[in-house]
Amino acid sequence: METVNIALLGLGTVGGGTLQILRRHADAIERRTGRRVQVRRALVRDPAKARPAEAEGVAITTAIDDILNDASIHIVAELMGGCEPAREWVLRAIAGGKHVITANKALIAQHGNEIFAAAEKHGVIVAFEAAVGGGIPIIKTIREALAGNDIRSVAGIVNGTTNYIMTEMRDRGLDFGAALAEAQALGYAEADPSFDVGGIDAAHKLAILAAIAFGTPLSFPHVAIEGIDAIGAQDIHYADTLGYSIKHLAIARRDAEAVELRVHPTLIPQRHLLARVDGVMNAILVQGDAAGESLLYGAGAGALPTASSVVADLVDVLRLLSAEPDHRVPYLGVRPGAVTDLPVRPLAAIHSAYYLRLGVEDHPGVVADITRILADHAISIEAMLQRPDPARPDTMPIILLTHRVWERAMDQALDAIAQLASVRGPITRIRVHTDGAC
Ligand code: NAP
Ligand code: HSE
């Protein structure tokens, strides 16, 4: 049986999980591919760090050239993270004729167009299932299983860390910092957790999902991004009182004229399936013209779930080693020459319902002033809560749910409301999912 040598760039959470699965399922992989896998080398930054028992027999190095100049290595799995030096090393691996597997969404979202072009030129495969949704096979599902559809939208919870934080704040009353520390200890968070909390990681994943769903180029710079930083424990509580959960959603929609690409907290009715996706779990809802709605649910981060996707990519590469390049699934789901650009719709032009939380002075006419401004902008109110906060007796929190309105009108109304002398502090605005629209 042919032995295929691989190297891991990175032996952290995902690299360690990958080694574990490769050892555990070595026989099954042979049965599935007719090839034996040998992990020859692994690149790390700190040679003094303890490594998992499964790393025994793997030559550990801190010098990338030991791997890139080793002609016996056929496949490189980039499991380090970050754009540089990952981009440079992946391009060098490709130029050297090595196939590449990566879990790095930042790399694919920001440099995928360049990397795919290089792979095309050198006739090698670049596989990236682990980059989106951890253990959920969402890339394969969209590119292959739903290939008979015109995909209209992809929306979901794609960051395990933020979902974990918001779930723990709601269910265990943890404060933000404690919940984030737990997510970091469990290996879910990015090296820089502000990528999770600030929505950048979800935006990287959305850029990839949109490109493969719509056959458009990777457009990360055009994703509108809001993180969970502005969401307080009180918003989670008020949303619950109104019958909603707050989830950090990534949303891509397409119509004949444009695409929408946005990542932001969203109030979702508690009866909706996405509202029940808790902890580190991810879920992605794909709307196709033929299949209708498909929901994929699973662990969005963590060593073994992510490694499950890395190994699935490895099995694909092993199966394709002797196939003609023409038999490979195109990176973005359509042939390279058929990728079609579409303009990205600005956030001001979306249509959404809103949750608003304001702190106001408690005296007659204050609510009337606010509702007059909303009415002047044709914004209709669906529900209102006024709940005194014992911790701040001088400020009355007012919570409003509106019907759907153009975001531009909401921006203008909020600018005017913020000018009222009776309004104190910033206004929290969260988009609300209504049936058929987010
Ligand atoms: P991690 O635990 O921090 O591991 C990173 C590994 O890469 C470590 O072994 C580190 O070496 C090595 N490394 C980093 N920079 C290096 C450099 N410049 N030179 C040599 N070695 C370097 O990260 P991770 O959580 O496994 O994430 C890896 C990738 O998977 C990232 O792209 C991440 O976004 C993605 N991902 C992670 C998850 C998850 O749940 N963690 C899920 C999906 C995707 P040392 O061990 O010596 O520090
Ligand atoms: N930091 C990411 C998350 C890892 O929490 O979802 C999985 O991509």
Side-chain angles (χ1 to χ4, degrees):
M1 187 180 293
E2 183 191 357
T3 297
V4 176
N5 295 320
I6 74 166
L8 307 181
L9 310 189
L11 211 42
T13 303
V14 182
T18 301
L19 265 188
Q20 210 178 314
I21 295 184
L22 289 177
R23 297 282 188 245
R24 192 196 290 176
H25 294 314
D27 291 347
I29 292 167
E30 281 180 27
R31 290 209 329 274
R32 285 171 187 152
T33 66
R35 295 186 159 100
R36 180 173 299 127
V37 174
Q38 188 183 0
V39 182
R40 264 219 130 110
R41 296 178 187 273
L43 180 82
V44 299
R45 198 166 22 197
D46 178 359
K49 232 186 231 179
R51 300 297 164 187
E54 292 85 1
E56 203 186 313
V58 177
I60 307 246
T61 179
T62 56
I64 185 67
D65 287 347
D66 288 348
I67 290 170
L68 298 183
N69 294 341
D70 182 344
S72 74
I73 289 174
H74 308 103
I75 303 170
V76 165
E78 185 278 302
L79 311 172
M80 303 186 309
C83 282
E84 292 295 350
R87 174 187 152 277
E88 183 203 329
W89 293 348
V90 160
L91 288 171
R92 281 182 57 199
I94 290 170
K98 299 185 193 308
H99 302 287
V100 172
I101 294 164
T102 181
N104 190 336
K105 45 277 160 116
L107 179 71
I108 295 298
Q110 299 195 57
H111 301 288
N113 295 325
E114 179 189 17
I115 288 169
F116 299 152
E120 193 75 17
K121 180 173 160 200
H122 293 280
V124 298
I125 303 167
V126 174
F128 52 95
E129 182 65 68
V132 184
I136 304 174
I138 185 67
I139 305 283
K140 206 175 194 45
T141 300
I142 293 179
R143 285 197 317 201
E144 299 178 49
L146 291 174
N149 285 260
D150 182 19
I151 296 180
R152 310 265 166 82
S153 71
V154 182
I157 296 163
V158 294
N159 184 271
T161 301
T162 47
N163 206 41
Y164 183 88
I165 292 172
M166 290 199 291
T167 304
E168 296 306 309
M169 285 171 72
R170 184 196 63 196
D171 293 352
R172 286 164 60 207
L174 283 192
D175 69 27
F176 185 92
L180 171 60
E182 280 193 4
Q184 288 177 294
L186 290 163
Y188 302 154
E190 294 304 299
D192 177 353
S194 70
F195 273 47
D196 297 293
V197 171
I200 313 256
D201 177 76
H204 286 144
K205 293 165 177 166
L206 184 72
I208 297 171
L209 288 174
I212 62 168
F214 307 145
T216 49
L218 289 152
S219 304
F220 169 71
H222 299 295
V223 181
I225 307 173
E226 288 173 20
I228 61 164
D229 350 28
I231 307 297
Q234 68 273 46
D235 296 310
I236 295 172
H237 168 72
Y238 293 138
D240 189 53
T241 307
L242 291 160
Y244 292 84
S245 290
I246 303 182
K247 294 292 173 190
H248 192 237
L249 282 198
I251 300 164
R253 299 173 169 281
R254 198 210 66 188
D255 56 32
E257 286 95 45
V259 291
E260 281 177 26
L261 298 173
R262 49 197 170 94
V263 164
H264 51 70
T266 308
L267 262 74
I268 304 181
Q270 280 160 355
R271 65 175 185 279
H272 195 286
L273 284 172
L274 287 178
R276 298 185 217 152
V277 176
D278 287 334
V280 73
M281 303 310 274
N282 282 191
I284 301 158
L285 199 54
V286 185
Q287 176 83 44
D289 66 334
E293 281 192 340
S294 306
L295 180 72
L296 279 91
Y297 170 87
L304 290 181
T306 311
S308 158
S309 292
V310 173
V311 174
D313 274 349
L314 177 60
V315 166
D316 266 355
V317 175
L318 293 171
R319 285 173 172 157
L320 286 166
L321 280 178
S322 45
E324 288 297 313
D326 221 34
H327 294 163
R328 296 171 188 163
V329 179
Y331 299 111
L332 299 181
V334 296
R335 314 289 298 164
V339 172
T340 318
D341 216 348
L342 272 175
V344 178
R345 184 165 289 129
L347 214 42
I350 71 161
H351 204 224
S352 177
Y354 294 87
Y355 159 104
L356 306 174
R357 175 170 57 83
L358 314 80
V360 299
E361 289 169 13
D362 190 11
H363 59 68
V366 171
V367 172
D369 288 344
I370 293 167
T371 53
R372 181 183 39 75
I373 291 173
L374 291 174
D376 288 349
H377 290 85
I379 298 170
S380 160
I381 295 169
E382 186 192 317
M384 189 177 121
L385 285 178
Q386 189 173 331
R387 294 281 161 93
D389 179 355
R392 297 187 62 197
D394 57 332
T395 305
M396 174 67 76
I398 292 185
I399 297 90
L400 296 163
L401 278 188
T402 76
H403 288 286
R404 292 177 72 192
V405 56
W406 295 110
E407 178 130 337
R408 185 174 292 108
M410 181 55 79
D411 290 342
Q412 290 165 354
L414 291 185
D415 283 349
I417 291 170
Q419 305 298 320
L420 294 172
S422 50
V423 171
R424 294 189 169 163
I427 301 170
T428 299
R429 171 243 301 259
I430 309 175
R431 295 173 192 88
V432 179
H433 174 92
T434 47
D435 282 340
C438 287

